[in-house]
Amino acid sequence: MTAKIISGREVAEQILTTDLKNKVIALNENNIKPKLVVVLVGDVKASASYVAQKEKFAVKAGIESEVRRFKKDVTEDEILTVIDNINNDKSIHGVIVQLPLPDHISVAKVLNRIHPSKDVDGFTPTNVGKLFLGEDTLVSCTPKGIMQMLASTGTNLTGKNVTVVGRSNIVGKPVAILCLQQHATVTMCHSRTKDLNAKLADADIIIVAVGIPKFIHGDQIPEGSIVIDVGIHNIDGKLCGDVDFDSASIKASSITPVPGGVGPMTVCALIENTIIAAERIG
Ligand code: GUN
């Protein structure tokens, strides 16, 4: 079997230039101009390129975006004050603090300071809690993008076996909850799972977000399964994911590429969350 490629780039482009653009036009007609602010601290190379993509996608959907840049020795108090000002600024509907932050700044403290109504990353305890309870909320972007990619394949998750490899707060745990909400049977695995192959053997869908290059190989993947690869790594100048694409794409029925898979969907979900926040805040 040769897998069909699930192009996140194409799905994202479609969502941005149709649904989201139309929602922005409707908001503009009511004098609401959705605006996203990205807080960027230091000079992490990967962060700079993610932020550039966020700005590009904002333009595609017709929303305003602004990057507030700070030197890596900015104090925690200064960043907390920046967040307070954004929370109180009625012209801003969504804010994200690009991670990682320098070690002297507490990620938990900074994220906690963001008002949940503007938390378009869906990282605050309030929004994570609402997701857990199945309440309407701003859902974190990578899990939301993954669900949209699965929907784009026409797959109904009811009763499907989903194996998630990786247990992070930003991807593994929330995507498992979203799959449960769609009536899948979810198995959670991670880098220390005993006999991972047995947990993968009956999977209909495999979501890998373990942060280890080419951690999953084709011989571990059941024939005909759908594979979603969240990882992105630069190995000797070449990008790869958490899945060994060449061997996996012979076994899977559909697979996400790296790059051009989950990455663009994450950014698209961020723009969508900003528009949802604008619709709610006004
Ligand atoms: N750094 C890498 N991924 C993300 C993300 O989804 N949100 C934020 N804020 N920072 C990140």
Side-chain angles (χ1 to χ4, degrees):
M1 179 174 278
T2 303
K4 186 175 171 298
I5 305 293
I6 312 170
S7 169
R9 212 170 266 149
E10 283 172 18
V11 179
E13 180 79 17
Q14 166 76 14
I15 295 174
L16 283 166
T17 57
T18 55
D19 298 8
L20 298 189
K21 206 164 177 191
N22 289 337
K23 283 187 175 174
V24 173
I25 290 169
L27 282 165
N28 289 346
E29 278 166 4
N30 288 314
N31 278 327
I32 300 165
K33 295 193 161 51
K35 179 171 176 182
L36 168 69
V37 171
V38 178
V39 175
L40 180 59
V41 180
D43 44 20
V44 177
K45 214 170 140 202
S47 292
S49 85
Y50 292 143
V51 168
Q53 198 181 25
K54 285 164 186 164
E55 289 183 284
K56 209 168 104 188
F57 277 31
V59 171
K60 278 183 199 271
I63 75 165
E64 207 181 315
S65 72
E66 181 191 329
V67 183
R68 298 199 181 169
R69 295 169 202 274
F70 299 88
K71 295 212 165 70
K72 64 173 182 290
D73 58 359
V74 66
T75 66
E76 186 178 271
D77 275 346
E78 283 173 291
I79 292 297
L80 292 173
T81 303
V82 167
I83 301 290
D84 288 342
N85 290 337
I86 290 170
N87 285 340
N88 292 325
D89 186 333
K90 288 195 169 11
S91 73
I92 300 169
H93 305 92
V95 57
I96 74 157
V97 177
Q98 187 66 33
L99 302 176
L101 287 171
D103 289 344
H104 66 279
I105 301 177
S106 159
V107 172
K109 213 163 165 183
V110 168
L111 295 183
N112 257 311
R113 195 72 157 239
I114 297 172
H115 194 278
S117 66
K118 297 192 179 186
D119 167 31
V120 286
D121 247 335
F123 287 173
T124 57
T126 299
N127 286 331
V128 173
K130 283 186 171 180
L131 174 70
F132 191 92
L133 295 170
E135 291 177 20
D136 196 18
T137 187
L138 293 166
V139 174
S140 69
C141 301
T142 301
K144 179 171 177 148
I146 291 170
M147 299 314 283
Q148 289 173 328
M149 288 181 109
L150 288 172
S152 79
T153 67
T155 308
N156 179 349
L157 265 69
T158 302
K160 293 281 191 315
N161 293 330
V162 177
T163 300
V164 179
V165 187
R167 54 177 158 173
S168 70
N169 289 333
I170 14 185
V171 186
K173 289 183 203 167
V175 85
I177 302 229
L178 291 173
C179 290
L180 280 174
Q181 282 171 3
Q182 291 194 21
H183 316 294
T185 302
V186 180
T187 303
M188 286 298 289
C189 301
H190 46 80
S191 58
R192 292 185 224 177
T193 294
K194 210 168 68 179
D195 201 1
L196 178 62
N197 289 357
K199 313 284 188 290
L200 293 166
D202 67 350
D204 300 300
I205 297 162
I206 299 172
I207 300 170
V208 191
V210 73
I212 302 170
K214 301 188 180 185
F215 185 71
I216 298 291
H217 285 253
D219 54 11
Q220 298 169 285
I221 293 173
E223 190 84 37
S225 55
I226 297 175
V227 176
I228 307 285
D229 187 355
V230 181
I232 183 153
H233 312 274
N234 189 332
I235 306 292
D236 301 327
K238 206 166 170 258
L239 293 178
C240 71
D242 289 354
V243 176
D244 178 53
F245 183 86
D246 290 344
S247 59
S249 58
I250 301 168
K251 298 288 287 297
S253 61
S254 302
I255 188 168
T256 60
V258 177
V262 173
M265 292 303 298
T266 297
V267 184
C268 178
L270 176 70
I271 305 299
E272 182 169 353
N273 278 350
T274 306
I275 294 166
I276 293 171
E279 286 171 342
R280 289 180 185 164
I281 298 170

